[in-house]
Amino acid sequence: MDEEGHASAKDQKKAQSVRQKFWKVVKKAARQIPIMEDVVAGYYCAFDRNTPSKVRLTLIGALAYFVLPLDFIPDFILGLGFGDDLAVLTLAIRSVASHISDEHRRKAKQALHDHLMDDEGAN
């Protein structure tokens, strides 16, 4: 396991992809995914060094499904595109909910405010 808590190079690469693409996809999906605050809290939990590695891997796997382009239903299909992502994210978040702390939720709320306000200010 490396210093980031990844068990393999494949896990490390997946985590890096999630970090690089996460906020871009969040901005696109914010209005279509009703549990976005939980998703972002899961993101902070996944990259918290104090989170157990099994929990981190569960969350990073679900977040990778959300942000990476390979999908059962392409995200560009309005109304359906994020449905499969929502199902995967909901299942993952529910299965590790006890590890998502108040601090993760606080960071998520602030980050969503900051990122979505940046978007509104640009329009």
Side-chain angles (χ1 to χ4, degrees):
M1 192 164 303
D2 70 6
E3 70 278 352
E4 292 283 320
H6 303 106
S8 69
K10 182 180 174 184
D11 293 337
Q12 190 173 15
K13 186 175 179 179
K14 189 185 297 183
Q16 183 179 5
S17 291
V18 168
R19 282 185 187 248
Q20 289 174 346
K21 298 174 183 173
F22 184 74
W23 288 107
K24 182 179 179 182
V25 176
V26 166
K27 286 180 181 183
K28 277 193 334 189
R31 289 182 172 82
Q32 296 178 47
I33 296 193
I35 62 163
M36 190 56 75
E37 194 170 313
D38 291 330
V39 171
V40 177
Y43 172 85
Y44 283 108
C45 181
F47 291 102
D48 181 342
R49 292 176 188 237
N50 297 319
T51 300
S53 60
K54 186 175 180 178
V55 172
R56 294 175 77 184
L57 291 173
T58 297
L59 289 168
I60 288 170
L63 292 168
Y65 186 83
F66 174 54
V67 302
L68 298 177
L70 296 175
D71 227 331
F72 287 121
I73 302 173
D75 294 338
F76 65 83
I77 298 175
L78 191 62
L80 294 176
F82 287 107
D84 58 326
D85 299 83
L86 178 60
V88 169
L89 290 166
T90 299
L91 181 63
I93 289 167
R94 284 185 180 169
S95 71
V96 300
S98 64
H99 296 279
I100 299 175
S101 70
D102 290 340
E103 180 64 12
H104 298 141
R105 293 185 187 287
R106 185 195 64 72
K107 286 180 180 180
K109 188 175 199 127
Q110 183 63 50
L112 277 171
H113 177 268
D114 294 347
H115 283 276
L116 297 181
M117 290 302 289
D118 286 347
D119 235 18
E120 288 176 11
N123 292 330

